[in-house]
Each structure stands twice: as C-alpha cells, then as structure tokens.
Amino acid sequence: MSALGASEVAASGFQKTNVTFTPAPIYAKKYVFTVTRMAKPKTFTLDQAQTLLPVLKSLIGRAMEGKKQIEQIEKEFQKIKYRVMLIGGMLLDVAAMARRKAEQDKALQEIKDALAEIGSIGVQVKDLDTGLLDFPCVLDNEIVLLCWKYGEEKIEYWHSVEEGFAGRKPIDERITGKKKEKPN
C-alpha cells in the first residue's frame, strides 16, 4: 500500500492524523504513528460492534503487549545508560543490546500494524494502556460512541463524543432497538 500525498488524501475523503505514543513519562523518546481516518466515520450498530470484539480483542491485546515490551526494553537501556554514566564507562554486550533493540523495533512495528488494522475497521483506539476502544454509532441522528475496554466481556456502555470515558452510560433500548417490557 503506497502513502498518499496531501492532494490524494483530500480527494479521497480521508485525512491524516498523527498519534503520539510516549512509552513512559520519564522517557523523552516518542513514537509517532500516522493514522489515516475517514472524514465521515464508519458507524456501527451494537450487534455489528459486538461481532467484531473477538478480532479486536486480539488486535488490541497484541498492541498492549507490544507497548509493555517496548517499555521494558527502554527501562533496560536506561539502567545501562545510568550504570555507564556512574562508572564512567564499561564493557557492553553490544550483540545482546542489538538483539534487544531489534526486539523493540519489531514490537513497535507490531503495534503500528495492529493500530492500523483497528483503524481500517473504523474503530477508534482511545487508550493503549487500558485497551479502550470506541465504535461510532448513530443515535437520534447524532454520532455517539459505543465504548469497550479490554477485559470487558461485551460492549455495555456508550457516551457522547464530548463526554468521553468519564461520561459512560449503560447501553439502553435506544441503542439496542429493543424496548424493555413493563411488568403488569
């Protein structure tokens, strides 16, 4: 798949967005992912979103695991850097460090691939630490977000675009399309 230039992106109805991932607050190194999103988001019914969960669980799980691996390797490198600084130099196992760097690069690529696949489905990754995903959904002619977090069995919450995670509400009959029966 080739990269699109600015004119091709505009003509196709897509827009490019940079997403920055910082491995941990104490590290200055940042990774920037470019995600191409549709100008008009794909929308899902609750049933469609639920059907996608097994695939998305696997993808977001891989990305989360890759992030943990990158952070672990980064900590190892920071410890080595600190020891070298304290001692004023030391012999390093360059081959082992190169292997760990290659593992880190591979994990980063796996994260990029998983996020790109999730994005191509039309689902939004909101938080890689918790595995938070949002599915655009139409409710009363407005876009709302069905909200799912890694570890939850199914999608049980939604929120408006403005509210975010803090405004999560339980799924109700407006989203399911099924009215609750009133007891006699």
Side-chain angles (χ1 to χ4, degrees):
M1 195 160 129
S2 63
L4 295 176
S7 60
E8 290 96 347
V9 170
S12 68
F14 287 83
Q15 62 188 36
K16 286 189 176 182
T17 305
N18 284 337
V19 178
T20 302
F21 156 60
T22 306
I26 61 172
Y27 307 119
K29 191 172 191 176
K30 290 186 178 184
Y31 302 96
V32 177
F33 305 103
T34 300
V35 179
T36 304
R37 294 189 178 151
M38 294 176 58
K40 183 179 179 194
K42 175 176 175 42
T43 57
F44 301 88
T45 65
L46 179 60
D47 289 339
Q48 290 169 332
Q50 299 283 25
T51 301
L52 289 170
L53 277 186
V55 171
L56 292 168
K57 281 180 187 179
S58 173
L59 290 169
I60 196 69
R62 279 191 352 227
M64 291 168 70
E65 205 49 50
K67 182 177 183 292
K68 286 178 189 172
Q69 185 177 10
I70 287 172
E71 290 172 343
Q72 177 59 40
I73 294 170
E74 196 65 39
K75 284 180 187 176
E76 292 170 20
F77 287 159
Q78 289 297 321
K79 284 180 184 178
I80 292 169
K81 182 179 174 183
Y82 183 71
R83 285 196 341 245
V84 168
M85 203 171 66
L86 282 181
I87 297 171
M90 62 187 270
L91 292 175
L92 299 173
D93 184 349
V94 176
M97 290 183 67
R99 277 192 302 276
R100 291 301 278 163
K101 176 64 175 139
E103 290 172 16
Q104 187 180 39
D105 292 344
K106 182 180 177 191
L108 180 59
Q109 188 58 51
E110 288 174 0
I111 292 170
K112 287 179 180 181
D113 293 346
L115 293 179
E117 193 166 344
I118 292 169
S120 72
I121 293 169
V123 176
Q124 303 169 8
V125 178
K126 295 297 181 157
D127 185 350
L128 193 52
D129 288 323
T130 61
L132 186 62
L133 302 179
D134 281 344
F135 302 75
C137 174
V138 177
L139 176 64
D140 300 330
N141 294 320
E142 289 188 37
I143 299 288
V144 298
L145 300 169
L146 303 176
C147 186
W148 177 81
K149 191 167 85 169
Y150 191 80
E152 294 176 344
E153 288 298 312
K154 60 184 182 174
I155 301 168
E156 297 178 321
Y157 301 96
W158 70 279
H159 57 82
S160 73
V161 175
E162 296 81 25
E163 290 174 311
F165 183 81
R168 286 187 3 150
K169 298 177 256 324
I171 298 284
D172 59 34
E173 66 272 356
R174 293 179 301 161
I175 292 174
T176 63
K178 300 171 186 166
K179 296 197 181 225
K180 293 182 181 177
E181 297 205 16
K182 295 179 184 176
N184 289 334

